[in-house]
Amino acid sequence: MARIHPTAMVDPRAELADDVEIGPYVVIDGEVRLGSGCVVGPFCRLEGPTVIAEGNRFTSHCSIGAPPQDLSYRGEPTRLEIGPGNWFREFVTVHRGTTKGGGVTRIGGYGLFMAGAHVAHDCQVGNHVIFANGGTLAGHVEVGDYATIGAFSAVHQFCRVGPYAFLGGFTVATKDCLPFMRTVGSRPARCFGPNTIGLERKGFAPERREALKKAWRILHNPKLTTSEAVAKIAAELGDQPDVALLLEFIRSSQRGVILARG
C-alpha cells in the first residue's frame, strides 16, 4: 500500500498507486490520481480533478491543481494533467484550466520546475522543459518540448514559446519566442539568434546548427521585412526540418514574434 505519513490528509476520492509516498502535512483534496513511484513531499497541497502520471516528485510546499486565477471562473469542473517523470521543487504552483480556455492545463513529461515556478490556467507545456527559479507563465501559454524558461522570466497570456527556445533570466515575453533561439530582455525582449551551445548539448549535429544560423542571418537582415525574410529562407533552406519548423512557427503566430529588430 501507499506510504502515507500520519499527519497527511488524503481525500477518499483520491486514487494512489501502491508505491506512492505521501509526506508530512500533505493535503490531497478531491479527485487526484497519482501514478506509480510518485513522491509528495511535506506541506504540498494537491487538488482535483488532477491526473499525475508515474514518477513525479514534489519536493515541498507545492500547490498543484488549484483553481484558476481567473475572475470568470465559477467552479466549473476543469482539470490538470501531468505527464511522467517531472520534478517540482519548492513552492511550485500549477493551476487547473478554465472552460473558456478548453478546460485543461497540461504538462508533459520529464521536466524540471525549480523553486517558485508558476504554470497558470490552460497552459500547454511540452516535454523535457526547464523552468528556472520563479519562471512564470500567464494563462493560455504554449511551451514547446525542450524549452528553457530562465529565472524570474514571465510570458504574457496567449503567447507561445517554441521548441528548444531559451529565455534568459528576467525576460518579459509579450510576443511569441522563436524555437531554437535565445530570447532575452524586458520590454522589449530581443532575440539573439540560435542557442548554439544549448543545441549542441542536446545532440544537434553541426549541419542542423549551421542551417539555423543561416536562417537567422536572413531573418536578422535589416534590409528585409519579416515576410521577405521568411520567403527567402523558405526558398533557400526550406527543405531543412528545423528551419521548416521555424518558418511554420512564424507563419502561424497570432501575436507576432520577438526579433532582434524589436
Side-chain angles (χ1 to χ4, degrees):
M1 296 180 61
R3 290 188 287 174
I4 302 174
H5 193 275
T7 60
M9 299 178 63
V10 179
D11 193 304
R13 294 173 292 176
E15 299 179 24
L16 311 182
D18 290 342
D19 58 350
V20 164
E21 297 181 25
I22 306 297
Y25 301 102
V26 168
V27 175
I28 298 181
D29 183 9
E31 299 172 5
V32 176
R33 188 188 309 165
L34 279 164
S36 177
C38 287
V39 178
V40 183
F43 295 99
C44 291
R45 180 181 178 92
L46 279 58
E47 301 179 55
T50 292
V51 177
I52 300 171
E54 67 275 7
N56 280 279
R57 293 181 288 169
F58 303 88
T59 298
S60 70
H61 297 85
C62 297
S63 175
I64 306 297
Q69 296 179 136
D70 187 307
L71 293 174
S72 70
Y73 181 71
R74 295 292 184 270
E76 300 89 352
T78 59
R79 67 189 192 276
L80 166 66
E81 299 174 358
I82 297 177
N86 297 288
W87 190 4
F88 298 88
R89 294 298 304 260
E90 303 86 339
F91 297 98
V92 170
T93 53
V94 183
H95 292 168
R96 300 196 308 271
T98 63
T99 52
K100 67 180 181 181
V104 58
T105 303
R106 290 190 181 90
I107 292 177
Y110 312 104
L112 171 59
F113 297 80
M114 299 185 195
H118 174 67
V119 178
H121 60 86
D122 304 297
C123 289
Q124 309 294 311
V125 179
N127 301 300
H128 300 281
V129 298
I130 296 175
F131 280 56
N133 296 33
T136 297
L137 305 183
H140 312 277
V141 171
E142 298 179 17
V143 178
D145 294 345
Y146 294 96
T148 297
I149 309 296
F152 304 106
S153 292
V155 183
H156 193 278
Q157 59 261 34
F158 295 101
C159 287
R160 301 180 300 161
V161 178
Y164 294 94
F166 178 89
L167 273 63
F170 294 90
T171 293
V172 177
T174 57
K175 295 181 180 180
D176 293 350
C177 301
L178 291 173
F180 311 108
M181 304 293 172
R182 295 170 294 141
T183 299
V184 183
S186 174
R187 299 185 185 277
R190 300 181 65 197
C191 183
F192 290 87
N195 181 24
T196 307
I197 294 175
L199 295 176
E200 183 177 5
R201 289 173 176 170
K202 289 179 170 65
F204 276 55
E207 56 270 21
R208 295 178 68 184
R209 302 198 302 273
E210 185 59 31
L212 288 167
K213 287 179 182 179
K214 290 179 180 177
W216 172 249
R217 292 189 194 106
I218 298 171
L219 193 60
H220 187 223
N221 187 341
K223 297 181 180 179
L224 300 174
T225 67
T226 301
S227 297
E228 291 169 343
V230 166
K232 184 175 176 63
I233 294 167
E236 297 182 9
L237 299 162
D239 59 339
Q240 299 291 330
D242 298 326
V243 175
L245 189 156
L246 174 66
L247 293 175
E248 176 56 29
F249 187 90
I250 296 171
R251 291 175 179 135
S252 62
S253 177
Q254 298 296 310
R255 295 188 58 88
V257 299
I258 295 174
L259 294 172
R261 57 189 76 172

